[in-house]
Amino acid sequence: MTATLNYSLAKQGIETTAEIFANLGTAPLVEHAVRNGEGVLSVDGPFVVATGKHTGRSAKDKFIVKDAETQDTVWWGKTNVAMTPEHFAALKEDFLKAVAEKDTLYVADLFGGSQPEHRVKVRVINEFAWHNLFIRTLLVRPTEDELEGFAPEYTIIDLPSFRADPARHGCRSETVIAVNFTEKLILIGGTAYAGEMKKSVFGILNYLLPVKGVMPMHCSANIGPDGDTAVFFGLSGTGKTTLSADASRTLIGDDEHGWSDTAVFNFEGGCYAKMIRLSAEAEPEIFATTKRFGTVLENVVIDPVTRQIDLEDNSLAENSRGSYPIDFIPNTSEKNLGPVPKNIIFLTADAYGVLPPIARLTPDQAMYHFLSGYTARVAGTEIGVTEPEATFSTCFGAPFMPRHPSVYGNLLKERIAKGGVKCWLVNTGWSGGKATMEGIKRMPIKATRALLNAALDGSLNTAEFKEDPNFGFEVPVAVPGVDARLLDPRGAWADGAEYDKTAQTLVKQFIDNFAQFEAHVDEGVRKAAPVSA
């Protein structure tokens, strides 16, 4: 039976003879996915699927149409790559032909954003039932009443079976993610990685909200027992999900949020967590979702006979993922939003062993570190690696920010000043030396949590601070329950001179990276740069 849409595909200029399954719930979508042979059920209930060669985002295959709308509003460069309107028109023509030939299509009408006055209506059209389940899980699901009057503002068509033609479509390969802000249409082809849909909606909101004075953020967020909201910025591996999942605080969301005049609100209605080597001991709440019907596990190895999953096996992907409704996590915000924040935490995993475990930032320093988006990892696993590898991702989410970084940075600085927000830099990385040095260990999670708790409950504000000679921010001298040696990065090194040399290497990397922003920020932010000896 063909489902009825309040706002038909034909009204959007999409003609097809396919049977349309619209706004199905979890159980029927799982039934369709199993019947279609898209994946299998594990013994504990989750749907398990392999995405093929694409086990992560295809960043080099993403394009934004450059036209009168976007020519002067998008920050063009390595991240935001232009596609001509003519190439997009050809791509759209071929996409619509492919849609017309499908036997079955799955359509979901959803919201991007939990605060009603700042959300966007998104229609997602899929050829895979599990893709439709994924996006229905990750975005905000309308009520039945809201669906009755639903007319999409933006549309995503996701066809993994589509093969792009670089010569005809102006793309790089058979895989394409093409965003047209004028036509409010996103076309995804040649990849089965479901995260492309989620990040496309993030990109839409990152483009739309700054014009309304709303700050879009790649962050997690939670609320304390006294109603104090904290937001956690951080790149992969810095602890963004782990540290925000605090049993004593209420989770707003783990990845994408907006900061309006009245609230911090989740863009999503679900979570998308890394699954590789997940353990019940380290992250019990997330681990529990791997045993629930309604969870979708991507590229998690499963025994074909017993249907037991193996989270230790990375033979399909290091980036194995699980998507699940946010209410699968205990103690989550009922409305996916909370008050405006009192604290902002920038998380970094410094593999150089230079940064302190916590530092207090001025608003200018906060904007500097926000635009820098720094973390550092051990550079691979090959024999002979002797140096960490610095990563700078603007606004802690460069691939998803269509506008110039200064737009987001200035918004953040204004909101920090307006709300008297406390800003902290927290290093969850290494102490006492570089990560590549023998015997050097990562910052104890117990110490990180103690410092974070002291920052969030306000007790850290009364501590004695000293200025870091390299970065200029304030570092506490002593904090109850934390080894004082951890608070002095230089003192934690066996060789102080070697620390100084390494610190200056990192300082230079910060300065070199920030050169691209100097003309777009005021003098106060420029003076917040670290000091080169």
Side-chain angles (χ1 to χ4, degrees):
M1 190 175 101
T2 303
T4 302
L5 289 166
N6 174 68
Y7 194 92
S8 70
L9 295 183
K11 284 183 181 179
Q12 298 181 269
I14 301 172
E15 299 292 343
T16 181
T17 56
E19 186 171 11
I20 308 297
F21 293 96
N23 298 310
L24 296 184
T26 298
L29 282 170
V30 171
E31 288 172 356
H32 276 257
V34 172
R35 190 161 58 238
N36 297 343
E38 297 172 10
V40 298
L41 285 171
S42 84
V43 68
D44 294 311
F47 183 76
V48 184
V49 64
T51 63
K53 69 175 183 177
H54 293 284
T55 59
R57 290 186 308 104
S58 300
K60 293 181 179 179
D61 294 307
K62 179 190 168 189
F63 302 87
I64 298 175
V65 176
K66 190 172 188 178
D67 56 17
E69 162 68 28
T70 58
Q71 184 170 342
D72 298 322
T73 55
V74 168
W75 185 42
W76 302 106
K78 290 182 179 179
T79 299
N80 298 313
V81 180
M83 174 180 280
T84 67
E86 293 76 18
H87 279 134
F88 184 85
L91 182 67
K92 178 182 175 182
E93 179 185 342
D94 293 345
F95 252 79
L96 293 183
K97 284 180 182 176
V99 167
E101 294 169 359
K102 294 296 174 188
D103 294 325
T104 304
L105 288 171
Y106 299 89
V107 180
D109 290 331
L110 302 157
F111 294 125
S114 297
Q115 190 169 12
E117 54 267 46
H118 299 304
R119 66 193 182 191
V120 63
K121 296 175 182 176
V122 181
R123 168 167 288 175
V124 186
I125 302 169
N126 300 111
E127 63 177 317
F128 290 166
W130 84 264
H131 268 188
N132 208 243
L133 172 61
F134 169 90
I135 201 63
R136 186 182 178 279
T137 300
L138 263 294
L139 295 187
V140 179
R141 296 163 290 282
T143 64
E144 285 188 24
D145 288 344
E146 288 170 334
L147 277 176
E148 282 184 15
F150 194 101
E153 297 169 286
Y154 280 79
T155 299
I156 297 171
I157 304 177
D158 190 340
L159 303 177
S161 64
F162 185 89
R163 296 293 177 263
D165 177 352
R168 175 168 163 77
H169 302 135
C171 52
R172 189 186 70 99
S173 71
E174 291 186 338
T175 299
V176 65
I177 302 96
V179 181
N180 190 319
F181 284 111
T182 300
E183 295 191 27
K184 300 183 177 180
L185 178 63
I186 297 173
L187 305 175
I188 303 172
T191 172
Y193 179 66
E196 297 287 8
M197 292 182 286
K198 159 189 157 71
K199 289 304 183 187
S200 292
V201 177
F202 189 33
I204 292 169
L205 289 164
N206 286 339
Y207 184 76
L208 297 177
L209 292 182
V211 179
K212 300 172 70 175
V214 177
M215 173 70 189
M217 304 177 292
H218 187 212
C219 69
S220 58
N222 63 24
I223 314 168
D226 297 327
D228 57 301
T229 297
V231 298
F232 301 78
F233 291 96
L235 302 176
S236 179
T238 59
K240 180 163 58 80
T241 298
T242 300
L243 291 172
S244 63
D246 184 329
S248 67
R249 298 174 66 86
T250 300
L251 181 68
I252 300 174
D254 77 329
D255 196 37
E256 301 168 4
H257 295 81
W259 179 356
S260 69
D261 288 337
T262 58
V264 167
F265 61 97
N266 194 348
F267 287 171
E268 303 180 306
C271 299
Y272 195 35
K274 285 189 175 180
M275 289 288 148
I276 193 67
R277 290 178 287 278
L278 188 72
S279 74
E281 293 73 29
E283 296 184 82
E285 294 87 0
I286 298 175
F287 184 84
T289 69
T290 69
K291 298 182 178 297
R292 291 193 62 170
F293 179 79
T295 293
V296 176
L297 298 176
E298 293 177 58
N299 301 311
V300 168
V301 173
I302 184 169
D303 187 292
V305 177
T306 67
R307 299 294 174 91
Q308 294 281 355
I309 61 170
D310 184 353
L311 298 177
E312 298 293 319
D313 190 335
N314 68 348
S315 58
L316 288 179
E318 183 69 22
N319 187 40
S320 59
R321 292 273 180 168
S323 54
Y324 46 87
I326 193 168
D327 58 18
F328 277 18
I329 301 293
N331 199 29
T332 54
S333 167
E334 185 178 344
K335 294 184 177 180
N336 280 5
L337 52 78
V340 295
K342 292 187 176 180
N343 288 278
I344 289 174
I345 297 95
F346 299 113
L347 298 169
T348 182
D350 178 26
Y352 288 96
V354 166
L355 297 179
I358 196 165
R360 186 166 62 189
L361 309 178
T362 66
D364 283 328
Q365 289 170 339
M367 183 171 173
Y368 185 93
H369 285 274
F370 176 69
L371 289 175
S372 297
Y374 164 75
T375 194
R377 302 180 179 91
V378 179
T381 57
E382 65 272 17
I383 296 172
V385 169
T386 58
E387 288 297 315
E389 183 176 62
T391 299
F392 293 95
S393 184
T394 306
C395 308
F396 293 94
F400 324 117
M401 304 293 179
R403 296 183 184 272
H404 193 278
S406 62
V407 172
Y408 308 104
N410 283 319
L411 258 176
L412 182 69
K413 186 180 173 184
E414 288 168 13
R415 292 209 166 273
I416 289 170
K418 185 177 179 180
V421 182
K422 299 292 184 187
C423 300
W424 309 90
L425 181 71
V426 172
N427 175 23
T428 61
W430 286 259
S431 177
K434 300 175 189 177
T436 48
M437 293 178 175
E438 188 175 348
I440 301 304
K441 295 183 178 180
R442 194 156 180 179
M443 207 75 69
I445 185 68
K446 187 178 179 181
T448 299
R449 283 203 179 277
L451 291 167
L452 191 56
N453 289 339
L456 296 182
D457 68 21
S459 60
L460 192 54
N461 292 318
T462 61
E464 179 188 351
F465 286 81
K466 66 178 181 180
E467 185 178 295
D468 183 276
N470 297 299
F471 285 84
F473 41 51
E474 294 182 316
V475 181
V477 175
V479 177
V482 178
D483 188 339
R485 289 173 295 182
L486 279 178
L487 298 171
D488 177 14
R490 189 178 190 275
W493 280 56
D495 185 340
E498 184 65 19
Y499 170 86
D500 293 337
K501 180 182 175 183
T502 305
Q504 281 301 303
T505 297
L506 183 57
V507 164
K508 185 177 186 304
Q509 289 179 306
F510 264 88
I511 292 172
D512 289 348
N513 173 72
F514 202 81
Q516 62 186 309
F517 307 124
E518 286 186 346
H520 302 278
V521 299
D522 60 31
E523 185 64 17
V525 178
R526 287 194 288 271
K527 286 184 176 179
V531 179
S532 180

